Amino acid sequence: MSDWIRVCTTAELLPGESTVAWDGDTPILVVNLDGDFHAVEDQCTHEDYELSAGAVDPQAGTVECVLHGAKFDLRDGRALCAPAYEPVAKFPVKVEDGVVWTRDDR
């Protein structure tokens, strides 16, 4: 299990915003959903394309892949519609002293 990776401060990632952090070779999409931070692998499971290029819907808690329109729930990683059927990897997030941290815990 790897060490925690510093993402940013909570002030740098406002509600509805997202950023990408790297844990080694793993890109991690971190999103602020109304003060709750969530992290998933920044890779669509339908085709190898970064989810961070797509639109985040903060009200629904989803991200849509711009390549073919697959949607994923940012809270648990599950695929919500075709053409994706497999979930994206979900990663832990912690906030300590105003700093957001994540890691690839696989």
Side-chain angles (χ1 to χ4, degrees), residues 8 11 13 15 18 21 28 36 44 48-51 62 66-67 70 81 84-85 96 99 102-103:
C8 61
L13 194 60
S18 63
I28 301 174
D36 292 324
C44 181
D48 185 16
Y49 200 78
E50 63 268 7
L51 291 173
T62 61
V66 297
L67 200 57
C81 67
Y85 297 99
E96 291 181 343
V99 177
T102 191
R103 68 177 178 200

CSV table of all heavy atoms in Angstrom, one decimal, residues 8 11 13 15 18 21 28 36 44 48-51 62 66-67 70 81 84-85 96 99 102-103:
chain,number,residue,atom,x,y,z
A,8,CYS,N,-4.2,18.9,-2.8
A,8,CYS,CA,-4.3,20.3,-2.7
A,8,CYS,C,-4.9,20.7,-1.4
A,8,CYS,O,-5.3,19.9,-0.6
A,8,CYS,CB,-5.2,20.9,-3.9
A,8,CYS,SG,-6.9,20.3,-3.8
A,11,ALA,N,-9.2,24.9,0.0
A,11,ALA,CA,-9.5,26.2,-0.6
A,11,ALA,C,-9.2,26.2,-2.1
A,11,ALA,O,-9.7,27.1,-2.8
A,11,ALA,CB,-8.7,27.3,0.1
A,13,LEU,N,-9.8,23.7,-4.1
A,13,LEU,CA,-10.7,22.8,-4.8
A,13,LEU,C,-12.1,23.1,-4.3
A,13,LEU,O,-12.6,22.5,-3.3
A,13,LEU,CB,-10.3,21.3,-4.6
A,13,LEU,CG,-11.0,20.3,-5.5
A,13,LEU,CD1,-10.7,20.6,-7.0
A,13,LEU,CD2,-10.6,18.9,-5.1
A,15,PRO,N,-16.4,23.6,-4.2
A,15,PRO,CA,-17.5,22.7,-4.6
A,15,PRO,C,-17.7,22.7,-6.1
A,15,PRO,O,-17.8,23.8,-6.7
A,15,PRO,CB,-18.6,23.3,-3.8
A,15,PRO,CG,-18.0,23.8,-2.6
A,15,PRO,CD,-16.7,24.5,-3.1
A,18,SER,N,-12.8,20.0,-9.8
A,18,SER,CA,-12.0,18.7,-9.8
A,18,SER,C,-10.6,19.0,-10.2
A,18,SER,O,-10.2,20.0,-10.7
A,18,SER,CB,-12.6,17.7,-10.8
A,18,SER,OG,-12.5,18.2,-12.1
A,21,ALA,N,-4.5,14.1,-9.4
A,21,ALA,CA,-3.3,13.8,-8.7
A,21,ALA,C,-2.7,12.5,-9.2
A,21,ALA,O,-3.5,11.7,-9.8
A,21,ALA,CB,-3.6,13.7,-7.2
A,28,ILE,N,-5.4,10.0,-10.6
A,28,ILE,CA,-6.6,10.0,-9.7
A,28,ILE,C,-7.4,11.3,-9.9
A,28,ILE,O,-6.8,12.4,-9.6
A,28,ILE,CB,-6.2,9.8,-8.3
A,28,ILE,CG1,-5.4,8.5,-8.1
A,28,ILE,CG2,-7.4,9.8,-7.3
A,28,ILE,CD1,-4.8,8.2,-6.7
A,36,ASP,N,-17.7,17.4,0.2
A,36,ASP,CA,-17.3,16.0,0.3
A,36,ASP,C,-16.4,15.7,-0.8
A,36,ASP,O,-16.7,15.9,-2.0
A,36,ASP,CB,-18.5,15.0,0.3
A,36,ASP,CG,-19.4,15.2,1.5
A,36,ASP,OD1,-18.9,15.4,2.6
A,36,ASP,OD2,-20.6,15.0,1.4
A,44,CYS,N,-11.6,6.0,-18.0
A,44,CYS,CA,-12.8,5.3,-18.4
A,44,CYS,C,-12.6,3.8,-18.5
A,44,CYS,O,-11.6,3.4,-19.1
A,44,CYS,CB,-13.4,5.9,-19.6
A,44,CYS,SG,-15.0,5.2,-20.1
A,48,ASP,N,-9.7,3.5,-22.8
A,48,ASP,CA,-8.6,4.1,-22.1
A,48,ASP,C,-8.6,5.6,-22.4
A,48,ASP,O,-7.9,6.1,-23.3
A,48,ASP,CB,-7.3,3.5,-22.5
A,48,ASP,CG,-6.1,4.1,-21.6
A,48,ASP,OD1,-6.4,4.7,-20.6
A,48,ASP,OD2,-5.0,3.9,-22.0
A,49,TYR,N,-9.4,6.4,-21.7
A,49,TYR,CA,-9.5,7.8,-21.9
A,49,TYR,C,-9.7,8.5,-20.5
A,49,TYR,O,-10.4,8.0,-19.7
A,49,TYR,CB,-10.7,8.2,-22.8
A,49,TYR,CG,-10.5,9.5,-23.5
A,49,TYR,CD1,-9.6,9.7,-24.5
A,49,TYR,CD2,-11.2,10.6,-23.0
A,49,TYR,CE1,-9.5,11.0,-25.1
A,49,TYR,CE2,-11.1,11.9,-23.6
A,49,TYR,CZ,-10.2,12.0,-24.6
A,49,TYR,OH,-10.1,13.3,-25.2
A,50,GLU,N,-9.1,9.7,-20.4
A,50,GLU,CA,-9.2,10.3,-19.0
A,50,GLU,C,-10.6,10.9,-18.8
A,50,GLU,O,-11.1,11.7,-19.6
A,50,GLU,CB,-8.1,11.4,-18.9
A,50,GLU,CG,-8.2,12.5,-19.8
A,50,GLU,CD,-7.4,12.4,-21.1
A,50,GLU,OE1,-6.9,11.3,-21.3
A,50,GLU,OE2,-7.3,13.3,-21.9
A,51,LEU,N,-11.1,10.6,-17.6
A,51,LEU,CA,-12.4,11.1,-17.2
A,51,LEU,C,-12.4,12.6,-16.9
A,51,LEU,O,-13.4,13.3,-17.0
A,51,LEU,CB,-13.0,10.3,-16.0
A,51,LEU,CG,-13.4,8.9,-16.3
A,51,LEU,CD1,-13.7,8.2,-15.0
A,51,LEU,CD2,-14.5,8.8,-17.3
A,62,THR,N,-21.8,12.9,-10.6
A,62,THR,CA,-21.3,12.0,-11.7
A,62,THR,C,-20.2,12.8,-12.6
A,62,THR,O,-20.1,14.0,-12.5
A,62,THR,CB,-22.5,11.7,-12.6
A,62,THR,OG1,-23.0,12.8,-13.2
A,62,THR,CG2,-23.5,10.9,-11.9
A,66,VAL,N,-16.0,12.1,-22.2
A,66,VAL,CA,-16.3,12.8,-23.4
A,66,VAL,C,-16.2,12.0,-24.7
A,66,VAL,O,-16.7,12.3,-25.7
A,66,VAL,CB,-15.4,14.1,-23.6
A,66,VAL,CG1,-15.7,15.1,-22.5
A,66,VAL,CG2,-13.9,13.7,-23.6
A,67,LEU,N,-15.5,10.8,-24.5
A,67,LEU,CA,-15.3,10.0,-25.7
A,67,LEU,C,-16.5,9.4,-26.2
A,67,LEU,O,-16.8,9.5,-27.4
A,67,LEU,CB,-14.2,9.0,-25.4
A,67,LEU,CG,-13.5,8.3,-26.6
A,67,LEU,CD1,-12.8,9.4,-27.5
A,67,LEU,CD2,-12.4,7.3,-26.1
A,70,ALA,N,-20.1,7.6,-21.5
A,70,ALA,CA,-20.3,6.8,-20.3
A,70,ALA,C,-20.3,7.7,-19.1
A,70,ALA,O,-19.5,8.6,-19.0
A,70,ALA,CB,-19.2,5.7,-20.2
A,81,CYS,N,-24.2,4.0,-17.1
A,81,CYS,CA,-24.8,3.8,-18.4
A,81,CYS,C,-23.8,3.3,-19.4
A,81,CYS,O,-22.6,3.4,-19.2
A,81,CYS,CB,-25.5,5.1,-19.0
A,81,CYS,SG,-24.3,6.4,-19.4
A,84,ALA,N,-20.1,1.9,-20.9
A,84,ALA,CA,-19.3,1.4,-19.8
A,84,ALA,C,-20.2,0.5,-18.9
A,84,ALA,O,-21.3,0.8,-18.6
A,84,ALA,CB,-18.7,2.5,-18.9
A,85,TYR,N,-19.6,-0.7,-18.5
A,85,TYR,CA,-20.3,-1.6,-17.7
A,85,TYR,C,-19.6,-1.9,-16.4
A,85,TYR,O,-20.1,-2.3,-15.4
A,85,TYR,CB,-20.6,-2.9,-18.4
A,85,TYR,CG,-21.5,-2.7,-19.6
A,85,TYR,CD1,-21.0,-2.6,-20.9
A,85,TYR,CD2,-22.9,-2.5,-19.4
A,85,TYR,CE1,-21.9,-2.3,-22.0
A,85,TYR,CE2,-23.7,-2.3,-20.5
A,85,TYR,CZ,-23.2,-2.2,-21.8
A,85,TYR,OH,-24.0,-1.9,-22.8
A,96,GLU,N,-7.0,16.6,6.2
A,96,GLU,CA,-6.3,16.9,7.5
A,96,GLU,C,-5.8,18.3,7.4
A,96,GLU,O,-5.0,18.6,6.5
A,96,GLU,CB,-5.2,15.9,7.8
A,96,GLU,CG,-5.7,14.5,8.1
A,96,GLU,CD,-4.6,13.6,8.4
A,96,GLU,OE1,-3.4,13.9,8.1
A,96,GLU,OE2,-4.9,12.5,8.9
A,99,VAL,N,-6.0,20.1,4.1
A,99,VAL,CA,-5.3,19.6,3.0
A,99,VAL,C,-6.0,18.2,2.6
A,99,VAL,O,-6.3,17.4,3.4
A,99,VAL,CB,-3.8,19.3,3.3
A,99,VAL,CG1,-3.1,18.6,2.1
A,99,VAL,CG2,-3.1,20.6,3.7
A,102,THR,N,-5.1,11.6,-1.0
A,102,THR,CA,-5.6,10.4,-1.6
A,102,THR,C,-4.5,9.4,-1.8
A,102,THR,O,-3.3,9.7,-1.6
A,102,THR,CB,-6.4,10.7,-2.9
A,102,THR,OG1,-7.1,9.5,-3.2
A,102,THR,CG2,-5.5,11.1,-4.0
A,103,ARG,N,-4.8,8.2,-2.3
A,103,ARG,CA,-3.8,7.2,-2.6
A,103,ARG,C,-4.4,6.1,-3.4
A,103,ARG,O,-5.6,5.8,-3.2
A,103,ARG,CB,-3.1,6.7,-1.4
A,103,ARG,CG,-4.0,5.9,-0.5
A,103,ARG,CD,-3.2,5.3,0.7
A,103,ARG,NE,-4.1,4.5,1.5
A,103,ARG,CZ,-3.8,4.2,2.8
A,103,ARG,NH1,-2.7,4.7,3.4
A,103,ARG,NH2,-4.7,3.5,3.5
